[in-house]
């Protein structure tokens, strides 16, 4: 018998309990042993469930029970999850988590402890919800040097942007709907300000490139400034606005890592990823581009990935799995000046002047739309170094100047 414990009985935790207890015979068949949930840790009371007798409120019970070999951490946040996970690993228990905040902040340290104790620390559900992505990068693409990862990593923002594009819904109404549907994080700021996607970029980049990337090293911008006007102009330019997380390996061994809203050409496969779905493109030197697509949020898709990790731990109780990376360093993530095309939106009551500035700086041949009635211009620059383009854009004197990157 292999005993597990689940720490946290929120959206994901309850899904994990349902699958582990509901699919018990299927899982037992797969691991060729019997698995059971011995404890569920949560400070709240959950009466009337078929497994209500398993609830405890004291973490020490799990830490001190040598029979518990696998612990699932689905509480979220860094504290007290970090302390609990560390103690479980130190006590020789394998740990499975969906907690991207924890892995993005402390992954290298926790992996090193797991290594030392010869147990597993697995977190497939921390990126892309139910989409298999970490295991494929570490195992199926192991023969490749990964050069780039980019994608839509946050279901809530993709859902909001999609509602704005398809249903002409404003940002606040679309956010409320996402919260009602249970996609958004407890604090929606983590989604809409890009922190959730940033944490996922950290995990992907750390795994793909072998060195920890910390959240503060990723230049992060969310979608709170995106308006229906931007969405409409993007559409006129044949693009959809998407929140794109990306990490790229440079020739000098350093990497770039960003999260930002971008205008994605309708001819790019990522522009078709709608609703709560996530899609992650991985580029390897041998395989080329591969894409992973599926439900990036929600109770059962995320629980599906968590339970798969539990099964993997159960099958490898005395063997370490593939995942590892080393601690990061301050000069590892850089922001080089690269050639880009930018979307620019300018509005001013002094419309004649901005039209003239636009013509002088960018020429009338630039792909543009003028709205004489609203006194605004939107355009997409030709490709040039970002610093050169930004110098020109910064010299424009207007009431509103908004800039976004493009992905063609
Ligand atoms: N709030 C996250 C999202 C949940 O919307 O993608 C999954 O990480």
């Amino acid at each position: 018998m292999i005993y597990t414990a689940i720490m946290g009985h929120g959206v994901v935790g309850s899904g994990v309990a349902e699958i582990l207890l509901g699919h018990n015979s299927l899982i037992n068949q797969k691991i060729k042993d019997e698995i059971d949930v011995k404890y569920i840790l949560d400070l709240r009371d959950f009466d009337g469930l078929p497994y209500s007798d398993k609830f405890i409120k004291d973490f020490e019970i799990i830490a001190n029970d040598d029979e518990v070999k696998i612990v699932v951490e689905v509480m979220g946040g860094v504290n007290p999850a970090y302390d609990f996970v560390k103690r479980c690993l130190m006590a020789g228990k394998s740990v499975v988590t969906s907690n991207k905040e924890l892995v993005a902040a402390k992954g290298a340290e926790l992996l090193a402890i797991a290594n030392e104790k010869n147990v597993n620390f697995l977190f497939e559900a921390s990126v892309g919800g139910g989409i298999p992505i970490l295991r494929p990068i570490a195992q199926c693409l192991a023969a490749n040097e990964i050069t780039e990862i980019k994608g839509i990593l946050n279901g809530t923002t993709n859902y909001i942007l999609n509602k704005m594009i398809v249903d002409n819904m404003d940002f606040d109404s679309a956010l409320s709907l996402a919260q009602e549907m249970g996609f958004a994080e407890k604090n929606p700021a983590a989604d809409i300000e890009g922190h959730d996607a940033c944490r996922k970029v950290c995990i992907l980049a750390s795994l793909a490139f072998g060195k920890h990337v910390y959240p503060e090293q990723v230049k992060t911008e969310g979608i709170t400034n995106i308006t229906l006007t931007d969405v409409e102009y993007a559409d006129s330019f044949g693009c959809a606005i998407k929140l794109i997380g990306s990490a790229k390996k440079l020739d000098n061994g350093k990497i770039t890592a960003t999260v930002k809203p971008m205008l994605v050409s309708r001819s790019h496969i990522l522009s078709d990823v709608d609703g709560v779905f996530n899609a992650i493109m991985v580029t390897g030197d041998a395989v080329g581009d591969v894409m992973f697509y599926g439900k990036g949020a929600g109770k059962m898709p995320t629980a599906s990935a968590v339970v798969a990790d539990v099964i993997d731990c159960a099958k490898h109780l005395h063997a370490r799995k593939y995942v590892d990376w080393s601690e990061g360093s301050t000069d590892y993530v850089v922001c080089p000046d690269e050639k880009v095309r930018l979307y620019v939106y300018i509005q001013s009551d002094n419309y004649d002047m901005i039209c003239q500035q636009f013509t002088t700086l960018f020429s009338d041949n630039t792909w543009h739309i003028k709205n004489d009635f609203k006194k605004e211009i939107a355009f997409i620059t030709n490709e040039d170094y970002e610093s050169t383009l930004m110098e020109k854009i910064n010299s424009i004197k207007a009431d509103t100047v908004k800039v976004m990157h493009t992905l063609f």
Side-chain angles (χ1 to χ4, degrees):
M1 176 69 78
I2 300 171
Y3 284 109
T4 65
I6 303 171
M7 303 195 292
H9 193 258
V11 176
V12 179
S14 57
V16 171
E18 279 169 39
I19 298 181
L20 271 179
L21 296 163
H23 284 186
N24 195 264
S25 56
L26 182 87
I27 294 170
N28 291 347
Q29 224 176 321
K30 287 188 177 164
I31 62 171
K32 298 187 172 56
D33 202 333
E34 280 183 50
I35 198 160
D36 195 15
V37 179
K38 191 162 181 184
Y39 306 114
I40 301 175
L41 179 73
D42 204 297
L43 292 177
R44 297 163 296 180
D45 290 316
F46 292 91
D47 299 327
L49 293 173
Y51 50 87
S52 285
D53 57 320
K54 296 183 189 290
F55 281 88
I56 55 166
K57 294 187 197 302
D58 182 4
F59 166 72
E60 298 303 327
I61 296 172
I62 296 173
N64 296 323
D65 188 334
D66 288 340
E67 271 192 342
V68 174
K69 298 292 182 213
I70 303 166
V71 179
V72 175
E73 184 279 304
V74 276
M75 300 184 297
V78 175
N79 292 308
Y82 169 56
D83 187 37
F84 288 3
V85 167
K86 197 168 164 178
R87 288 195 49 203
C88 288
L89 293 171
M90 301 283 276
K93 302 176 194 302
S94 286
V95 175
V96 171
T97 184
S98 60
N99 187 339
K100 53 237 152 186
E101 197 176 346
L102 176 68
V103 182
K106 305 285 184 187
E109 182 192 340
L110 295 170
L111 283 165
I113 298 172
N115 193 22
E116 191 191 313
K117 295 289 172 185
N118 199 31
V119 291
N120 284 300
F121 177 52
L122 301 181
F123 37 87
E124 181 65 61
S126 65
V127 181
I131 308 171
I133 176 66
L134 302 184
R135 203 172 263 94
I137 289 177
Q139 291 187 318
C140 313
L141 299 176
N144 289 260
E145 178 173 3
I146 306 288
T147 52
E148 188 172 3
I149 297 178
K150 59 175 174 285
I152 294 166
L153 300 169
N154 182 269
T156 303
T157 46
N158 205 47
Y159 180 85
I160 292 171
L161 290 169
N162 198 223
K163 283 280 161 200
M164 291 172 80
I165 296 164
V166 177
D167 296 337
N168 223 26
M169 202 178 257
D170 66 32
F171 178 86
D172 290 332
S173 316
L175 170 61
S176 303
L177 201 57
Q179 283 173 313
E180 270 170 44
M181 305 285 284
F183 305 142
E185 297 289 310
K186 261 184 268 172
N187 172 3
D191 292 306
I192 59 180
E193 287 172 8
H195 306 304
D196 177 76
C198 162
R199 290 163 190 151
K200 293 166 180 168
V201 166
C202 292
I203 298 168
L204 289 167
S206 303
L207 180 65
F209 306 135
K211 223 169 135 169
H212 200 120
V213 175
Y214 301 97
E216 52 278 17
Q217 294 180 303
V218 180
K219 204 170 164 206
T220 299
E221 187 189 328
I223 64 161
T224 48
N225 286 330
I226 309 291
T227 61
L228 276 177
T229 305
D230 297 317
V231 166
E232 279 158 15
Y233 278 126
D235 191 45
S236 306
F237 288 124
C239 298
I241 299 177
K242 298 284 181 191
L243 185 68
I244 302 290
S246 71
K248 198 162 67 174
K249 189 158 193 181
L250 304 173
D251 291 340
N252 61 8
K254 303 202 176 199
I255 69 152
T256 62
T258 58
V259 171
K260 60 193 172 203
M262 297 179 90
L263 265 70
V264 181
S265 164
R266 291 269 179 215
S267 63
H268 196 291
I269 194 164
L270 287 176
S271 75
D272 279 332
V273 176
D274 288 335
V276 78
F277 280 84
N278 284 190
I280 305 152
M281 283 186 87
V282 181
T283 310
D285 60 349
V287 74
D289 287 340
V290 282
M291 182 151 143
F292 301 87
Y293 171 84
K295 283 193 179 155
K299 173 176 168 170
M300 295 317 261
T302 310
S304 146
V306 171
V307 175
D309 274 352
V310 171
I311 293 172
D312 217 353
C313 284
K315 281 178 166 175
H316 299 92
L317 268 188
H318 304 291
R320 284 242 43 239
K321 290 289 296 177
Y322 53 86
V323 190
D324 254 326
W325 64 71
S326 61
E327 287 287 354
S329 58
T330 44
D331 61 348
Y332 176 49
V333 185
V334 293
C335 200
D337 194 15
E338 290 181 305
K339 283 198 163 181
V340 293
R341 295 183 74 180
L342 300 175
Y343 156 89
V344 186
Y345 165 88
I346 311 171
Q347 197 284 329
S348 173
D349 284 343
N350 201 342
Y351 183 59
D352 292 341
M353 190 184 76
I354 57 168
C355 287
Q356 202 191 329
Q357 284 182 328
F358 162 70
T359 309
T360 312
L361 292 165
F362 293 96
S363 111
D364 271 341
N365 290 333
T366 305
W367 194 13
H368 71 279
I369 300 165
K370 285 184 180 170
N371 187 326
D372 299 347
F373 179 68
K374 288 187 174 171
K375 300 184 175 175
E376 58 192 30
I377 309 175
F379 60 94
I380 291 186
T381 67
N382 291 326
E383 193 176 71
D384 206 338
Y385 284 101
E386 188 169 354
S387 61
T388 310
L389 292 171
M390 284 312 297
E391 203 174 311
K392 288 184 184 181
I393 294 164
N394 286 334
S395 73
I396 295 171
K397 306 268 176 293
D399 297 332
T400 308
V401 180
K402 189 185 277 188
V403 182
M404 256 188 273
H405 284 79
T406 61
L407 185 63
F408 286 122

